[in-house]
């Protein structure tokens, strides 16, 4: 497979050198150029045709967000926003995702080779995943859909997992959720600075109450719990009457928190009343767990890969469960809640 061509855009010469060094630690990546501002980047994109662009938020002249909007309008491609602002300025990161960035990555607090060596592996993995994205999916505007009415809660419990592109898909799916929805754990790995602004945006878009997942939190009807911390896995201890437990273990299939662990515990404790959904994201973790939910009689659904920013995780489920229900994000909630109600009543 040809190396992934990356263009680094940052107004700091030091940052350009450090990011180049960090990225080229991977044999799968080659940095084909570096630009100090939007004008230079515009020219190099045309000349070098990179597969992925890393883009600083703060630059002289046209800032990173405005240049990102230009890229998405004129020549859509995978862009990862890189900035110190992504640590504290979660709103800026969220805005970048809304404009079309495939993900945001925080610069190390100190611009030293040692600090960049620490983040090299994570950054390279992000770039490799970004190179597989279907950027056209970011430009498809879905029609607003109203929340489900006349839903009667029947004791179900739901797990939803996603990665790159997952936040957009989750917003589209959960906008259909009724106020009395089943307790739902939404597993979306994201930078710490992005969790609160994303949670606020989700809360404005849904009828249910949104909370951040934490150890010992009881699961209640009408609540969505965002699980994103990379330090722990998230499982459900029992059902009914269960609570969230945070588990300190090594990553599973390279993922922490692990969709497989969440889905597997739901299959074990909830059986017919369990539901699992895989949204846009990379990697194969989650496929075995979603298969366990299906085997237990629960409901397993995946997002239509044609509408996903990255379909790698979805296709891993489909390889294991060829007959898995596949729907556009906006159509998942009605099918999920109806099917669980029917299974539990049988």
């Amino acid at each position: 497979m040809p190396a992934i061509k990356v263009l680094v855009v940052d107004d700091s010469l030091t940052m350009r050198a450090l990011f180049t060094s960090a990225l080229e630690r991977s044999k799968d990546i080659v940095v084909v150029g570096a630009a100090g501002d939007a004008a230079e980047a515009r020219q190099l994109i045309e000349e070098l045709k990179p597969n992925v662009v890393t883009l600083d938020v703060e630059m002289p002249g046209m800032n990173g967000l405005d240049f990102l909007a230009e890229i998405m309008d004129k020549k859509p491609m995978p862009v990862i926003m890189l900035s110190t602002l992504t640590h504290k300025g979660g709103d800026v990161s969220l805005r970048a995702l809304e404009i079309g960035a495939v993900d945001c990555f925080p610069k190390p607090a100190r611009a030293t080779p040692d600090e960049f060596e620490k983040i090299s592996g994570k950054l390279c993995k992000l770039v490799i995943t970004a190179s597989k994205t279907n950027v056209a999916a970011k430009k498809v505007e879905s029609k607003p859909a109203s929340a489900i009415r006349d839903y009667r809660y029947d004791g179900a419990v739901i797990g939803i997992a996603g990665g790159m592109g997952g936040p957009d898909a989750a917003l589209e799916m959960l906008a259909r959720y009724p106020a009395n929805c089943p307790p739902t754990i939404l597993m979306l790995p994201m930078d710490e600075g992005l969790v609160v602004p994303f949670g606020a945006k989700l809360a404005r878009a849904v009828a249910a109450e949104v909370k951040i997942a934490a150890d010992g939190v009881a699961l209640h009807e009408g609540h969505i719990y965002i699980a994103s911390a990379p330090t722990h896995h998230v499982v459900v201890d029992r059902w009914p009457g269960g609570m969230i437990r945070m588990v300190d273990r090594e990553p599973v299939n390279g993922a922490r928190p692990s969709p497989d662990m969440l889905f597997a515990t739901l299959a074990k404790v909830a059986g017919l009343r369990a539901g699992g959904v895989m949204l846009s994201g990379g990697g194969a973790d989650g496929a075995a767990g979603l298969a366990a939910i299906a085997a237990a009689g629960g409901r397993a659904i995946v997002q239509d890969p044609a509408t996903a920013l990255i379909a790698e995780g979805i296709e891993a489920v489909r390889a294991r469960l060829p007959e898995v229900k596949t729907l556009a994000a906006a159509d998942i909630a009605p099918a999920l809640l109806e099917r669980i109600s029917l299974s539990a009543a049988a």
Side-chain angles (χ1 to χ4, degrees):
M1 185 180 74
I4 299 160
K5 298 188 294 183
V6 178
L7 175 66
V8 175
V9 185
D10 196 297
D11 65 324
S12 165
L13 178 60
T14 299
M15 284 293 183
R16 295 198 296 273
L18 288 169
F19 273 118
T20 296
S21 177
L23 288 167
E24 291 193 330
R25 289 178 179 273
S26 169
K27 61 179 176 57
D28 298 315
I29 296 171
V30 57
V31 177
V32 292
D37 57 29
E40 186 180 6
R42 192 179 296 117
Q43 180 179 346
L44 291 178
I45 287 172
E46 192 65 32
E47 292 177 2
L48 302 174
K49 296 178 172 50
N51 305 117
V52 178
V53 173
T54 67
L55 179 59
D56 187 20
V57 170
E58 293 184 302
M59 296 190 300
M62 179 179 280
N63 66 44
L65 292 180
D66 289 342
F67 186 49
L68 172 65
E70 178 186 309
I71 292 173
M72 291 302 118
D73 180 55
K74 295 183 177 179
K75 195 177 182 67
M77 63 179 60
V79 177
I80 298 171
M81 298 302 293
L82 300 171
S83 175
T84 52
L85 291 177
T86 55
H87 264 311
K88 297 182 180 179
D91 290 332
V92 175
S93 297
L94 196 61
R95 179 60 185 144
L97 294 176
E98 290 170 351
I99 293 170
V102 297
D103 216 326
C104 299
F105 191 87
K107 291 180 179 179
R110 292 182 298 157
T112 66
D114 287 346
E115 289 298 307
F116 273 74
E117 184 176 357
K118 293 176 185 177
I119 58 94
S120 176
K122 184 177 179 181
L123 177 61
C124 290
K125 182 178 178 181
L126 188 66
V127 167
I128 292 168
T129 301
S131 72
K132 304 172 185 176
T133 54
N134 171 24
V135 181
K138 293 281 283 187
K139 294 179 70 65
V140 176
E141 294 186 8
S142 58
K143 296 179 181 178
S146 58
I148 298 166
R149 300 192 178 202
D150 302 322
Y151 171 73
R152 185 173 65 182
Y153 177 55
D154 56 7
V157 58
I158 309 293
I160 303 170
M164 189 175 287
D168 287 343
L171 283 162
E172 193 173 350
M173 173 191 165
L174 294 174
R176 304 294 308 276
Y177 250 33
N180 63 332
C181 67
T184 298
I185 298 174
L186 175 60
M187 183 174 286
L188 292 174
M190 61 179 70
D191 182 65
E192 181 181 359
L194 193 56
V195 178
V196 171
F198 173 76
K201 181 177 181 179
L202 181 62
R204 292 191 296 270
V206 304
E209 186 170 344
V210 177
K211 292 188 174 182
I212 305 301
D215 188 57
V217 170
L219 293 165
H220 294 296
E221 171 189 356
H223 287 72
I224 299 167
Y225 306 86
I226 301 175
S228 62
T231 55
H232 290 79
H233 297 291
V234 178
V235 300
V236 175
D237 61 351
R238 60 186 181 277
W239 197 254
M243 65 178 63
I244 293 171
R245 306 306 310 196
M246 312 297 277
V247 180
D248 184 8
R249 290 185 187 170
E250 291 298 310
V252 175
N253 298 321
R256 189 173 60 193
S258 163
D260 264 342
M261 285 189 68
L262 173 61
F263 290 152
T265 62
L266 291 177
K268 181 178 180 180
V269 303
L272 290 173
R273 296 191 184 277
V277 177
M278 180 65 73
L279 300 175
S280 173
D285 190 68
L290 211 54
I293 287 178
R299 184 56 161 169
I301 298 179
V302 297
Q303 181 183 354
D304 181 352
T307 68
L309 182 63
I310 180 163
E312 191 174 35
I314 295 167
E315 294 297 1
V317 176
R318 282 155 58 97
R320 187 178 282 258
L321 285 174
E323 303 303 317
V324 68
K325 191 79 170 176
T326 303
L327 297 167
D331 297 326
I332 292 175
L336 176 70
L337 300 186
E338 178 185 28
R339 181 64 178 85
I340 289 177
S341 296
L342 292 173
S343 295

